[in-house]
Amino acid sequence: MELRTLRYFLAVAREENMTGAANVLYVTQPTLSRQIADLERELGVVLFERTNRACVLTADGMRLRQRAEEILALVEQTERELADREGGVAGSVRIGAGEARAMRVVLSAFSQLRGVHPDVTIDLYTGNADAVEERLERGLLDFALLLEPVNLDKYESVRMPAVDRVGVCVAADGPWGSLGAVSPHDLERMPLLVSSRTSNKAVDVAAWSNRAISTERLNVVGRFDLIGNASYLVRTGVACAMGIEHLVQVDDDPRMRFVPLDPPLTIASFLVWKKNRLRSRACEEFLRCLGDMVASAGDQ
């Protein structure tokens, strides 16, 4: 399987039309059709359902599309990293993160890096901890910003100076909007949206409440990755979302309030990267800028 063939396949997948993809690739339609047919014979699967007007991915085609995009992204990143060694500091820093206040420090470090090395770019991926960590493991990210609990034995890491308070996002005019803090008894009665994170339990409710309540006793009405879409249900009062403080959607919307847990609970965050992995010069310089900022924050 050649990289050129994968690029042809992805073009057809994007255009959903053999003629349109051929025009994008500057090849003839018969040539492209033959390349796709050869790829299907090589793999022993049908990649497209063909009609007179469209080429639609089959289930096997969708699986190949995901892998092909990852393979080509890794090839392009490798080429950029090798080119870095020949020239100045350039290329991309790929960072994945969820919603955490520490991201401001990470982006400030990148801004500082860009001030010195204007040819460096950034690729940001936003998702929950499971999705971000999976992309880091696959080599599709250079760094991941993760909220604890984090298995730091797997990674090199920098502990970020900011911590986030845990609480519940509620409708400001709803039955919970007047609370000053959320007790274990309050939490047990709330209709809750909770994190879909599965790799590690985001909040150990039993430990936080000194065994007064358990996760099984919560009234969980749904799960969410990021607060953006879930915020609609919060605003309407249908549910309350367990999360962290200073989320943009909550801070900027007077219809919602963040109410901290009582007893108080905070979560630290870590920027992590894979051990024993060659980093580009851009990534090395980014880490240097971030280290300086973290050290400066610690001195204050």
Side-chain angles (χ1 to χ4, degrees):
M1 188 187 308
E2 297 181 357
L3 295 177
R4 180 187 62 181
T5 306
L6 289 181
R7 292 189 174 97
Y8 285 180
F9 163 75
L10 287 177
V12 178
R14 285 191 296 267
E15 298 296 322
E16 295 187 345
N17 180 277
M18 201 70 70
T19 301
N23 292 334
V24 169
L25 295 167
Y26 299 103
V27 298
T28 65
Q29 189 271 335
T31 296
L32 181 57
S33 297
R34 186 169 59 252
Q35 291 285 336
I36 298 301
D38 289 346
L39 179 61
E40 289 178 319
R41 279 193 295 272
E42 178 183 350
L43 297 176
V45 298
V46 176
L47 298 172
F48 295 98
E49 294 287 349
R50 295 167 174 83
T51 67
N52 289 336
R53 296 185 177 182
C55 295
V56 181
L57 287 170
T58 63
D60 288 321
M62 286 187 280
R63 279 190 283 271
L64 179 61
R65 179 175 185 168
Q66 178 181 339
R67 295 303 185 195
E69 288 173 342
E70 293 174 356
I71 289 167
L72 292 177
L74 288 171
V75 168
E76 291 167 3
Q77 179 68 13
T78 301
E79 290 172 346
R80 287 195 297 266
E81 289 176 355
L82 292 175
D84 277 354
R85 302 294 168 181
E86 300 299 323
V89 179
S92 180
V93 179
R94 302 169 302 166
I95 304 171
E99 297 166 312
R101 187 165 49 156
M103 195 60 187
R104 299 172 187 174
V105 179
V106 172
L107 295 179
S108 293
F110 177 77
S111 297
Q112 185 181 95
L113 173 64
R114 277 274 299 181
V116 181
H117 302 291
D119 291 330
V120 177
T121 60
I122 189 169
D123 287 335
L124 289 175
Y125 172 80
T126 303
N128 74 356
D130 293 337
V132 168
E133 197 164 0
E134 180 184 2
R135 291 180 71 85
L136 182 66
E137 289 295 329
R138 289 183 180 180
L140 300 176
L141 294 174
D142 300 305
F143 305 100
L145 182 66
L146 301 176
L147 294 170
E148 62 181 349
V150 182
N151 181 7
L152 294 178
D153 292 338
K154 298 169 55 178
Y155 305 115
E156 295 184 70
S157 64
V158 172
R159 183 186 174 101
M160 305 303 292
V163 296
D164 293 282
R165 284 200 302 176
V166 180
V168 183
C169 301
V170 303
D173 60 356
W176 314 100
S178 61
L179 288 178
V182 175
S183 69
H185 178 64
D186 295 325
L187 191 68
E188 191 176 27
R189 294 184 298 131
M190 287 176 164
L192 283 175
L193 298 169
V194 298
S195 170
S196 60
R197 180 176 179 178
T198 59
S199 59
N200 287 298
K201 190 183 299 182
V203 176
D204 188 337
V205 172
W208 162 72
S209 66
N210 196 24
R211 308 296 168 184
I213 61 173
S214 64
T215 302
E216 291 73 22
R217 289 170 56 182
L218 297 178
N219 178 22
V220 176
V221 300
R223 301 181 184 277
F224 65 94
D225 288 336
L226 301 172
I227 195 68
N229 289 332
S231 64
Y232 175 80
L233 292 175
V234 175
R235 291 195 300 268
T236 60
V238 170
C240 308
M242 200 166 181
I244 57 176
E245 194 173 15
H246 298 308
L247 299 173
V248 172
Q249 291 85 351
V250 179
D251 287 350
D252 292 347
D253 192 331
R255 294 170 293 178
M256 292 188 289
R257 282 191 61 226
F258 173 84
V259 186
L261 296 183
D262 182 28
L265 179 64
T266 59
I267 290 181
S269 54
F270 298 83
L271 189 80
V272 304
W273 59 97
K274 294 179 72 172
K275 289 182 176 179
N276 305 317
R277 185 180 184 277
L278 180 64
R279 293 185 294 274
S280 68
R281 291 178 64 189
C283 289
E284 292 285 1
E285 289 299 307
F286 167 74
L287 278 179
R288 183 186 60 75
C289 292
L290 181 67
D292 290 345
M293 283 197 166
V294 170
S296 176
D299 293 337
Q300 293 177 3

